[in-house]
Each structure stands twice: as structure tokens, then as C-alpha cells.
């Protein structure tokens, strides 16, 4: 990724436009801060956890842009993992199991395109999910998994 992609005023303007499309009653409110940069994601679209180096290092990945609100939870999970403790947190599936890896190209692009199309259709059809989205849900992939 090139550094100039991290801070693009035209991207912030586009996001603000989308925001005001969703919340027209807030027109006139101005954003005082903006952030840009890469985000981490995984096929489950939620964080996952683990340890490395014989349990001496804990990690969290895959926050998909939701890291700020979930960092305290993630820190508590990692502390439990480092302590070797079985807790309510460490028993969660998102801690016990890793997400499936993304497929290689061109399969990843095809899956993303089909998912975007399917999500747009679901939005237009009062949330009714098509076969592709229901299959993704059953496989533990996607936003409803």
C-alpha cells in the first residue's frame, strides 16, 4: 500500500456524503477528525485470537475496523490466554477457532463481487438473504456468522 492512500481528503468527503445520506437530519454537522489507513479483516469479519512462541506471546487480529471499541475485550482475552486460564472469554468460538483463510485470486475477487451484489439485493428486499449469503452463514463466513 502506498502512503498517499492513508490520508485522502476525497475519501473523507465521500464517507461524509454517505453519512449524510443515511442521516440527513444531521446535515450541517462537521467532522473534526479523520483517520485513514489499512484495516485488518478475516473471512469471519470479527476478531480472532491466539498465542505464539510456546504461549509467551498473545495476538489479536481481524478486527475489521471495529478495534477501538473491542480493544479492552481483546486485551482481557489475551491476558487470559497468556495466563493459561479457561474463562468465559477463552471458551468463545471466536477465541477457540481460527477463521478460514481467504481463497487465492481470482476466487477471492469473485466471492467478494458476489457477496457485494447479494448484500445489495438483501438491502433492497427487506433483508431477505439469497442462497449465497445463507450458504456463507452456514459455513461461518460473512456478516451473520
Amino acid at each position: 500500500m502506498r502512503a498517499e492512500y492513508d490520508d485522502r481528503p476525497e475519501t473523507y468527503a465521500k464517507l461524509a456524503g454517505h453519512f449524510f445520506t443515511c442521516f440527513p437530519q444531521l446535515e450541517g454537522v462537521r467532522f473534526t477528525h479523520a483517520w485513514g489507513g489499512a484495516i485488518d479483516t478475516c473471512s469471519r469479519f470479527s476478531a480472532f485470537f491466539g498465542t505464539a512462541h510456546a504461549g509467551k506471546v498473545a495476538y489479536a487480529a481481524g478486527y475489521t475496523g471495529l478495534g477501538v471499541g473491542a480493544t479492552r475485550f481483546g486485551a482481557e482475552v489475551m491476558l487470559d490466554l497468556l495466563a493459561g486460564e479457561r474463562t468465559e472469554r477463552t471458551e468463545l468460538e471466536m477465541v477457540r477457532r481460527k477463521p478460514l483463510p481467504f481463497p487465492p485470486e481470482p476466487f477471492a475477487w469473485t466471492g467478494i463481487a458476489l457477496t457485494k451484489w447479494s448484500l445489495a439485493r438483501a438491502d433492497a428486499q427487506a433483508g431477505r438473504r439469497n442462497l449465497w449469503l445463507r450458504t456463507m452463514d452456514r459455513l461461518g463466513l460473512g456478516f451473520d456468522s
Side-chain angles (χ1 to χ4, degrees):
M1 300 292 294
R2 295 193 310 219
E4 59 264 22
Y5 293 154
D6 287 346
D7 188 24
R8 297 184 67 226
E10 56 272 17
T11 300
Y12 304 141
K14 185 173 200 165
L15 288 170
H18 289 308
F19 178 86
F20 293 121
T21 297
C22 290
F23 303 103
Q25 68 275 24
L26 296 177
E27 190 66 48
V29 170
R30 296 293 166 242
F31 295 97
T32 60
H33 294 74
W35 174 85
I39 63 168
D40 187 25
T41 192
C42 69
S43 60
R44 201 167 51 204
F45 297 105
S46 68
F48 62 95
F49 306 87
T51 60
H53 299 286
K56 294 179 183 174
V57 175
Y59 64 85
Y63 276 97
T64 314
L66 304 174
V68 173
T71 53
R72 182 179 179 92
F73 170 78
E76 291 171 346
V77 168
M78 290 186 288
L79 288 170
D80 291 348
L81 291 172
L82 290 171
E85 295 177 9
R86 286 184 66 171
T87 66
E88 188 175 355
R89 289 182 292 267
T90 62
E91 292 301 307
L92 293 170
E93 186 169 343
M94 68 187 300
V95 176
R96 292 184 296 107
R97 299 180 69 177
K98 303 292 183 278
L100 294 172
F102 284 115
E105 295 297 351
F107 303 107
W109 180 89
T110 304
I112 291 167
L114 181 57
T115 301
K116 286 171 60 176
W117 177 81
S118 296
L119 287 169
R121 281 190 54 154
D123 283 348
Q125 297 176 351
R128 287 189 302 261
R129 299 167 76 74
N130 65 13
L131 179 61
W132 175 253
L133 293 177
R134 291 192 314 268
T135 300
M136 298 283 283
D137 294 340
R138 279 189 218 103
L139 294 174
L141 303 168
F143 295 105
D144 262 10
S145 51

